[in-house]
Amino acid sequence: DFMSKEISENGQVVRTALAIPEADIDQMVQAIDGSERTVLTGVGTSYYVALMGQYMMSGLANEFLPAMSSDEMPHMVSLRKGDHVLSISQSGETYDTLRALRISRQRGATLSSILNVTASSMAREVDHFIDQGAGPEICVLSTKSTVSQLVILLRIAIRLAQLKGQQSDEQISTLEQDLAALPDRLDAIFTGDHGQIRDLARHHSVMRNWFFLGRGIHHGLALEAALKFKEVTYCHAEGMSAGALKHGTISLIDDAMHTVIFLPGTDSPQLRQHSLGAMAEISARNGKLVAFQPQDCPQPEPRPETLIECPSAGRWTLPILQLMQAQLFAYYTARALGRDVDKPRSLAKSVTV
């Protein structure tokens, strides 16, 4: 099937994203730095990519670039001359994003995009775009192009941080080394033993209700992981910030509710502690826990029912590795349920109406 094939290509599309000329990245950085405001936008998976990008821009470059879902963006912000909109779209034909861009243009904003299809409406209508070059994505679910987009946003954030002097030369070097190691780490996940994720999927495929949780950039990861899961399995999956759990939703936790939580590494001690606190709240109510974390971390307490580890990585690339594992978890659960993983019901590759 195409879904597993395209997940297997995550490492290669990252190599392609890392080979995008620095001048293309700099053009986007200059558009951000030269504008009064920049808004990141997309819808569905692309919105969650934008949300994760918002954390990258803030954490690395000390820049607030709000991420807005493009279906609601025209109703949320009144753009004006001097503003800039950076849109994200796999197809370049997404109706809601095109509509948001056209309204932004009428209001005087400049436009740019990260795209996987250069012969698209969006490519023609924006001032400039980055061709992510991830290759055709046949499966309706977006997997490899999502990973590619995240890497491009991370490159933009690192370059913006460098331009603004927000990171030292040593810190920039460490970030670049971590990015350079990402393709091999993604390949290692795919070529490694999938037994634990496959067994988790098979054993729990009967569960119809799931929470996916994370803090910080892992919040965006949780939202995207839940979306992949519900798209291809037809099970209810709700992504949210781990901090929001106790504000009402915790009433749903019992021994019939499963929760997936994405833990940061020990290099994000405060976020990790907040996430472990959410795990304790769930465990105290007999909720079932599945945790994802890097392999160099201590055993989380309380102990989850299942612990899925990934190669150790830096703070900003770790969520990309965990996203690939989440894609595999959704894939194997769907296979266990007999779903058509390439063409889930009611979904289309590009939403153009």
Side-chain angles (χ1 to χ4, degrees):
D1 52 70
F2 284 103
M3 184 174 179
S4 60
K5 172 186 178 293
E6 288 158 10
I7 293 173
S8 78
E9 294 170 355
N10 278 337
Q12 185 53 50
V13 300
V14 170
R15 292 183 181 93
T16 301
L18 294 178
I20 291 171
E22 196 75 31
D24 292 353
I25 300 296
D26 282 348
Q27 187 177 31
M28 199 71 75
V29 169
Q30 293 295 339
I32 294 170
D33 189 54
S35 65
E36 292 185 18
R37 294 184 297 180
T38 291
V39 174
L40 302 173
T41 194
V43 69
T45 286
S46 295
Y47 167 60
Y48 299 143
V49 169
L51 184 61
M52 294 175 74
Q54 176 182 321
Y55 285 102
M56 294 173 184
M57 302 298 171
S58 176
L60 288 169
N62 196 29
E63 279 284 338
F64 176 54
L65 276 61
M68 299 186 184
S69 186
S70 53
D71 60 320
E72 289 296 322
M73 193 187 87
H75 314 297
M76 294 172 69
V77 58
S78 180
L79 292 166
R80 55 184 180 263
K81 187 176 181 180
D83 290 338
H84 171 234
V85 179
L86 171 51
S87 64
I88 299 160
S89 174
Q90 188 275 327
S91 67
E93 301 292 347
T94 308
Y95 170 80
D96 291 300
T97 305
L98 280 169
R99 177 175 177 270
L101 289 175
R102 288 163 182 164
I103 292 172
S104 300
R105 174 75 81 193
Q106 291 170 4
R107 294 173 178 172
T110 59
L111 311 176
S112 59
S113 289
I114 297 171
L115 302 167
N116 197 37
V117 181
T118 58
S120 64
S121 299
M122 209 169 292
R124 292 190 296 271
E125 295 191 27
V126 297
D127 298 301
H128 52 266
F129 66 90
I130 290 179
D131 174 15
Q132 61 186 96
E137 196 174 56
I138 307 303
C139 176
V140 168
L141 275 68
S142 181
T143 52
K144 66 176 182 176
S145 67
T146 305
V147 168
S148 170
Q149 289 163 350
L150 286 169
V151 169
I152 293 168
L153 282 172
L154 183 51
R155 284 191 64 190
I156 293 170
I158 292 171
R159 189 68 175 143
L160 184 61
Q162 191 174 24
L163 175 70
K164 291 167 56 67
Q166 292 294 320
Q167 302 288 324
S168 68
D169 291 344
E170 183 180 357
Q171 289 170 319
I172 293 292
S173 178
T174 299
L175 289 163
E176 290 175 342
Q177 290 173 22
D178 187 42
L179 254 182
L182 182 59
D184 288 344
R185 290 169 177 161
L186 290 165
D187 287 344
I189 289 175
F190 194 81
T191 59
D193 183 9
H194 294 186
Q196 191 180 19
I197 293 178
R198 187 186 297 112
D199 289 346
L200 172 68
R202 288 174 177 169
H203 293 160
H204 298 292
S205 61
V206 295
M207 296 300 301
R208 289 294 181 267
N209 295 287
W210 293 80
F211 287 135
F212 286 72
L213 306 179
R215 290 294 295 261
I217 191 172
H218 293 78
H219 170 216
L221 165 60
L223 291 165
E224 170 59 12
L227 179 60
K228 283 291 157 285
F229 193 84
K230 72 181 90 174
E231 282 180 315
V232 75
T233 67
Y234 314 151
C235 297
H236 172 244
E238 186 175 351
M240 72 182 76
S241 164
L245 178 73
K246 60 182 176 287
H247 294 279
T249 310
I250 200 167
S251 66
L252 295 174
I253 297 293
D254 58 23
D255 59 6
M257 177 67 74
H258 278 47
T259 300
V260 173
I261 188 163
F262 297 98
L263 296 174
T266 52
D267 55 352
S268 300
Q270 188 176 40
L271 284 180
R272 184 174 174 85
Q273 192 57 46
H274 287 324
S275 300
L276 293 175
M279 289 178 63
E281 295 279 3
I282 294 166
S283 181
R285 291 159 178 79
N286 298 316
K288 301 295 189 296
L289 278 163
V290 176
F292 287 74
Q293 74 168 14
Q295 61 190 13
D296 62 348
C297 288
Q299 176 82 27
E301 295 292 343
R303 296 201 171 194
E305 183 179 354
T306 304
L307 180 65
I308 307 292
E309 295 183 315
C310 72
S312 300
R315 175 182 176 187
W316 302 104
T317 59
L318 173 64
I320 300 174
L321 297 175
Q322 292 176 324
L323 174 58
M324 182 170 183
Q325 291 181 314
Q327 291 171 350
L328 290 169
F329 177 45
Y331 170 78
Y332 283 119
T333 303
R335 288 293 302 271
L337 291 167
R339 310 303 193 212
D340 183 343
V341 295
D342 287 340
K343 296 180 180 180
R345 68 188 185 197
S346 304
L347 300 183
K349 184 62 184 171
S350 179
V351 181
T352 56
V353 293

